[in-house]
Amino acid sequence: GLQVKLAREQTQQANDLAREETSRTNNITYLSAQQRLFETSEGAAFMHKALRTSDPLTVAEKERFTSSIALMIGLLEVGFNTHQSGLFRDNDQARAIDAVRLVYLSSPRVRKWWTYSRVAYTKNPDFVSLIDKLVADAEAAHAVSKITEAT
């Protein structure tokens, strides 16, 4: 009885520590990657052009854009998969999803990239469904804002 209870408590503590460490590592990795995209003036200017304008991108900029977005969506998927296994805290997963939604999926260019790239960069159908829903929500919000601007 007592030994089983102690073993369960130790297992729970070990799981909690693993979840904390995995969450910390995932958060640091994601934030570091995002910081690298924006940390220089040139990087911030490029990301602004790619995310917030409809200005055409050069061939090299398209490659950079694809690499940058694939990285950030890929890191979100790593967190998503880790969360599904129970090793990434709920609030950290929600924050990561919100960050991708607000920073990246608010961009029409990123949403267009997703429609063409969605099956090339991920094999987890639950993750694809999540991003598809976020993209659809962003498209609906964009349409509403266009209607509001026109009236």
Side-chain angles (χ1 to χ4, degrees):
L2 182 58
Q3 287 179 336
V4 171
K5 182 180 177 188
L6 289 173
R8 283 188 188 132
E9 288 175 4
Q10 288 175 338
T11 300
Q12 184 61 47
Q13 287 175 347
N15 287 342
D16 290 346
L17 287 172
R19 187 172 18 267
E20 289 297 316
E21 181 57 25
T22 302
S23 292
R24 186 181 75 75
T25 300
N26 281 0
N27 288 333
I28 289 170
T29 301
Y30 181 85
L31 293 171
S32 295
Q34 183 162 292
Q35 180 182 0
R36 281 192 301 278
L37 294 176
F38 290 89
E39 70 185 343
T40 66
S41 295
E42 185 276 331
F46 167 73
M47 292 304 291
H48 174 77
K49 177 182 179 182
L51 296 173
R52 304 292 167 236
T53 77
S54 58
D55 296 350
L57 301 179
T58 67
V59 171
E61 287 173 332
K62 287 177 185 177
E63 290 295 322
R64 185 177 180 184
F65 170 77
T66 294
S67 175
S68 299
I69 301 309
L71 170 67
M72 298 314 295
I73 298 290
L75 288 173
L76 182 65
E77 184 179 14
V78 168
F80 182 87
N81 293 337
T82 305
H83 181 258
Q84 282 189 321
S85 71
L87 289 174
F88 194 33
R89 294 180 301 217
D90 292 345
N91 62 328
D92 291 324
Q93 177 64 10
R95 185 177 34 216
I97 290 168
D98 283 346
V100 166
R101 181 177 55 79
L102 295 170
V103 175
Y104 301 102
L105 296 178
S106 61
S107 166
R109 195 183 315 260
V110 173
R111 295 192 304 270
K112 182 178 177 184
W113 174 87
W114 176 253
T115 62
Y116 293 111
S117 306
R118 60 193 284 280
V119 293
Y121 288 97
T122 182
K123 301 302 179 219
N124 181 334
D126 293 335
F127 181 75
V128 171
S129 293
L130 169 69
I131 301 300
D132 284 349
K133 180 185 180 326
L134 295 173
V135 165
D137 291 349
E139 286 292 333
H142 181 72
V144 167
S145 73
K146 288 295 184 190
I147 292 169
T148 304
E149 287 174 13
T151 57

